[in-house]
Amino acid sequence: MQQIRLAVRQLVEFLLQTGDIDSRFAGFDRANEGARIHRRLQKQAGEGYQPEVFLSGSREVDGIRCTVEGRADGIFTDGSGCAVIDEIKTTGVPSAEIHDGLNPCHWAQGMVYAALYTAQQGLTGASVRLTYYQIDDDKIFYFTRHFSGAELEDFLLGLLRQYAPWARRQLDWSAARTASLQAMRFPYDGYRPGQRALAGEVYRACKAGREAGKGGFRLFCQAPTGTGKTMSALFPSLKAMGEGCGEKLFYFTARTTARAAAEDAAALLRQANPGLALRAVTLTAKEKACLSKNEAGRPVCLPEACPYARGYYDRRKDALAFLLDGGGQLDRPAIEAAARQFTVCPFELGLDLSDWSDLVIGDYNYLFDPTVHLRRFFDLNGDWIFLIDEAHNLPDRAREMYSASFAKSSLTEARRALLRSRTSLKSRLVRADKELLALRRAVEALAPRRSAGAGGRPESVPDAPPDQPEQLALFDAPPEEKKDAPSPALPEPLYAREGTVFFRELPPAAVRPLYSLLPSLQDWLERSPEDPAHEKLLELYFSLHDLLRTADRYDGHSVTQLTARGSELTIRLLCLDPSAFVDESLACGRASVLFSATLIPPGYYKHVLGCGGARAVALESPFPPGNLGLYCLPGISTRYRQREASAGPISDALAVLAQSKVGNYLAFFPSYAYLQQVYADFTARYPGIRTIVQESGLDDAGRAAFLARFAPDPAATLLGFGVLGGVFGEGVDLAGSRLIGCAIVGVGLPQVSPRQEMLRRYFDDKDGCGFDYAYRFPGMNKVLQAAGRVIRTEQDRGVVLLLDDRFAQEGYRRLFPRHWAHLQYLPGAGALRQALRSFWQSGGSPAPEP
């Protein structure tokens, strides 16, 4: 008998939800706030109240065995001994409009849970209680209905019969998918060197799955650029799914270019395997997908303002059926075309299509971000396979997802936007502004500003850190500079100097004024959508919500940074260690494969991503070593104090590189300021070499124009100047003669800042590796990514030039990949000229090491 698995909420909302998408009563982010309120109400319920009870049950309908499961918000026994299923909902609907028939879906969810529970416990009946929490008025409304066991069972069976045609559609597709995946062949004639090994590792990880224990099997794969990582991960994962190991495959990336690569790989599999049954949907951010934006370019999900939001739930089934019966690739153009045809929101349509898709492609945040992760899948564990591309980006991205900042000036701007209006919101803005002003004064008292001329630390900090951990202790104030005990309103600071104070604890004074402001702001936004100030206050709302959500999650992995500059106060809640959060996200799947060209050292990535027991493999380069010339000039120092003196030697080295063979080259620098310094020297002394410079803040068109200058087989040499770790340092594919060499200036260490120092201190206290985790490892990751731009195919030949004496130190050499074993250290520009001449004359084979 065919079987299907359904989440309670998915079943109910798909069948019964009607009407509009309306951000007012649903709230701008009520789901996350609702989770916090749920926990609070559950705790207040007292003894005998069971929160978050997992329920599951199977029923046979029309020859299909349907397993329905989910978590009831709460279960308790009332005074008469009757079981009560509690369904908690957070709402912005005005209190006067809340009644027991507010939303039939809410009763339906509670009744399905009650049906599962009564059958499981052998009860003759149960009650369902709807608990509405009105967020603006802080009021709770209870509505209770009693049902017999027969009524509940009939209701559940009725829903399943109504869903049966859709279940049949999905089951028929799944059968076709399984058969076609089992027969699917690799789309190329053969595997590249290393590609088969990578595919084998991914396949075994997917097969192992839950057998690895809680959290599923986790694999870290480092595969050099050119291995064909996308296809090497996608193909074996789909083969494993065809063998029953995985219900759905998620491909998560950090960049749009990587999402396009996954789409291309899926299209190539279809092309090589005619008749392949594979639905692949690409999720696009709402800001990009929206077809009905306001004057500020922001989506407005209000039925009176957006025809695609009005009546969405009445038309989505027609749009879904059209797309599901029309083929497999559900990319952005296909979704947008269907959205226009059926007048439905393309963003929501993409999310709804993910329920019916085999492969879901999207950004990291759909799994890891607590605000926008796909609750329809990840609130419960599932038979999911996660492919995490460019995984070297995940530590920093995860820290950002669990961090937030807020500027006091946004309160002032919002108050001014209200002009002369007299509203309770304006009064609350004034009150919150005054409280943060007092907090700013307290920060200034703890950390007064001092000028460099008075013996203090200058306001600007170097853009490269010191070389050794012990030198970084300069951030600690000397004993004679320590202040008296801080104000009672603030906890003991970790660090205080020049307008910036760090705290291990979250100071209540930093968030209390903002919590009290939120209800009035929410109410004003919902009631005044046409007000000229709406856009400014909406920005304030999002900023507030982001900070307060982060405050709710604040724990020992975080620190608070308060910075006073003039009249401004900036509040930053910084997640230093996202390992627990990433671990929790990955734990809801059967297998996770995290892969990149640069995962060195693997222990660092396993540690900061909460995957201590994961398997880690490093694959050999698929290309002959002789195709890549690797050279280093260790006589050049790019440290901050030597930068002015280093400009000339670096220019000379770049000129030697550019003059060795006509072609396109890139030089990467650790900061834009250093780039400009060397660029000015280089163009003054070598005007005959064509150059192009990466400008700060490039948009998509600017980036495309920059890359277009790197044409194949140029008649004259072009040297591009870019920033290490920037948009051209990774994710750029300039194959063949479009790029034949690059120079990397410096070891890429992040700029010194109080925030980076907190990261160093945290990991020093945790396991004594603060300098490595905060500076060395992230810096070398950028170096290796930039070097990977040169060799992209088996036919490519090119050179990489490293310019910094630290590349000769053991602490950095141990981070080189194995295919860098032939790196040559040269005494100067003359030796470099000779080595490059030998490399190019030999057809690409590097000269023997002197």
Side-chain angles (χ1 to χ4, degrees), residues 95-107:
S95 295
E97 299 177 23
I98 295 176
H99 53 86
D100 68 346
L102 181 64
N103 190 329
C105 287
H106 298 165
W107 284 114

Side-chain angles (χ1 to χ4, degrees), residues 71 78 105 167 209 235 263 265 315 345 420 422 452 457 490 558 560 620 642 646 661 716 747 841:
R71 293 188 185 278
D78 65 15
C105 287
F235 177 75
E263 289 178 341
R315 297 187 297 274
C345 171
R420 300 179 180 275
R422 295 179 180 274
R457 182 180 172 86
L490 295 175
S558 304
T560 300
E620 299 290 347
Q642 281 82 44
S646 68
K661 178 180 172 67
V747 291
Q841 288 178 349

Side-chain angles (χ1 to χ4, degrees), residues 7-20:
V8 172
R9 185 168 182 172
Q10 172 193 3
L11 172 68
V12 168
E13 291 187 349
F14 181 77
L15 294 175
L16 303 181
Q17 194 167 13
T18 59
D20 311 324

Side-chain angles (χ1 to χ4, degrees), residues 240-322:
M241 285 175 58
E243 297 173 12
C245 299
E247 180 183 342
K248 196 180 295 285
L249 174 61
F250 294 89
Y251 194 108
F252 294 117
T253 74
R255 297 172 182 265
T256 303
T257 52
R259 293 196 285 281
E263 289 178 341
D264 292 343
L268 183 59
L269 284 172
R270 286 197 197 87
Q271 181 181 345
N273 296 271
L276 177 65
L278 176 66
R279 287 185 185 140
V281 64
T282 301
L283 302 181
T284 303
K286 181 184 290 188
E287 288 72 18
K288 294 182 178 180
C290 183
L291 300 175
S292 181
K293 300 178 182 178
N294 61 16
E295 293 180 358
R298 190 188 295 276
V300 180
C301 299
L302 300 174
E304 62 268 25
C306 176
Y308 302 97
R310 188 164 55 250
Y312 172 81
Y313 296 109
D314 301 326
R315 297 187 297 274
R316 67 169 171 174
K317 292 188 184 70
D318 293 335
L320 284 172
F322 173 79

Side-chain angles (χ1 to χ4, degrees), residues 707-785:
L707 294 175
R709 293 283 301 275
F710 291 79
D713 302 318
T717 288
L718 176 68
L719 175 62
F721 286 69
V723 178
L724 199 60
V727 294
F728 303 119
E730 65 174 278
V732 171
D733 193 5
L734 296 172
S737 60
R738 293 191 66 193
L739 184 70
I740 64 170
C742 79
I744 300 170
V745 180
V747 291
L749 305 187
Q751 292 186 6
V752 169
S753 67
R755 175 174 182 169
Q756 208 67 18
E757 281 300 285
M758 286 298 107
L759 192 62
R760 177 189 67 80
R761 291 182 179 205
Y762 174 86
F763 284 108
D764 265 343
D765 292 343
K766 191 172 182 179
D767 45 29
C769 56
F771 180 75
D772 283 343
Y773 277 34
Y775 293 104
R776 198 195 315 263
F777 295 163
M780 282 301 294
N781 180 279
K782 290 185 283 187
V783 169
L784 297 177
Q785 280 289 323

